[in-house]
Amino acid sequence: MEKDIFFTPEGLEKIENEIEFLKTVRRKEVAERIKVALGYGDLSENSEYDEAKNEQAQVEERIVKLENMVRNAVVIESDDLNTEIVNIGSTVSVKDLNTDKESTYTIVGSAESSPLEGKISNESPVGSKLIGKKIGDVIDIEVPKGTITLEVMNISL
């Protein structure tokens, strides 16, 4: 049994758009490259053909992977959330009590995490410890560099 994959509505839409792009644009581009490469003759020494076939396999593999994600998608709607408790879809402001640095994270499913955009996975060390917390809660989290102590300052949608 495959596990549920949590998405915000925006995250699911992004995946669905990528599937559509891969099916309608990339498949045609790769098929055209294969067709051109076939025109070069002898397939045993045709690196363009081999490269295009490998790219075709990668595109098809990505489509299957994304379709499986959509099939197992659980969409977290903002109507299902509140600002009392951190959950997937919540935006959380925290203060590192060791450095007094404040950070803001949006908790998302692992498939749409992007730390550079402030989107952290509910399965990450920080994300998993924040789930279920309330404003004012203080938590110690083991991270690769050691232990950090965070205080939940604000929860928004």
Side-chain angles (χ1 to χ4, degrees):
M1 186 171 142
E2 296 185 36
K3 72 176 191 169
D4 292 340
I5 301 174
F6 296 98
F7 285 100
T8 61
E10 299 80 23
L12 183 59
E13 181 180 1
K14 186 176 177 182
I15 296 293
E16 290 172 336
N17 289 341
E18 184 178 350
I19 292 169
E20 184 67 21
F21 173 77
L22 290 171
K23 286 182 170 183
T24 60
V25 177
R26 291 294 293 143
R27 271 184 175 162
K28 288 178 184 172
E29 290 173 352
V30 173
E32 185 59 33
R33 286 187 56 212
I34 291 171
K35 183 178 171 185
V36 169
L38 283 171
Y40 296 147
D42 185 9
L43 296 182
S44 65
E45 296 180 17
N46 190 332
S47 64
E48 288 88 357
Y49 177 78
D50 291 340
E51 190 178 305
K53 288 299 283 182
N54 285 338
E55 187 175 353
Q56 180 184 44
Q58 290 171 350
V59 167
E60 295 304 321
E61 183 180 327
R62 180 73 177 157
I63 290 170
V64 168
K65 179 181 177 184
L66 294 175
E67 287 178 338
N68 282 334
M69 291 168 71
V70 169
R71 195 171 14 267
N72 294 300
V74 174
V75 179
I76 306 298
E77 298 286 348
S78 58
D79 296 348
D80 300 335
L81 302 174
N82 66 54
T83 56
E84 303 283 319
I85 297 175
V86 177
N87 204 334
I88 298 171
S90 299
T91 298
V92 187
S93 296
V94 296
K95 182 177 187 177
D96 185 325
L97 297 181
N98 302 325
T99 64
D100 273 350
K101 180 183 174 203
E102 289 197 28
S103 301
T104 301
Y105 304 111
T106 300
I107 312 296
V108 295
S110 60
E112 66 179 299
S113 69
S114 176
L116 295 176
E117 296 176 26
K119 295 179 179 182
I120 61 172
S121 167
N122 64 309
E123 297 174 9
S124 70
V126 174
S128 64
K129 292 286 188 176
L130 286 172
I131 297 289
K133 300 300 182 242
K134 299 178 181 177
I135 295 173
D137 285 354
V138 175
I139 48 175
D140 291 323
I141 304 171
E142 290 295 323
V143 295
K145 292 183 179 180
T147 302
I148 59 173
T149 303
L150 299 180
E151 180 180 359
V152 178
M153 304 301 288
N154 190 37
I155 303 169
S156 59
L157 304 179

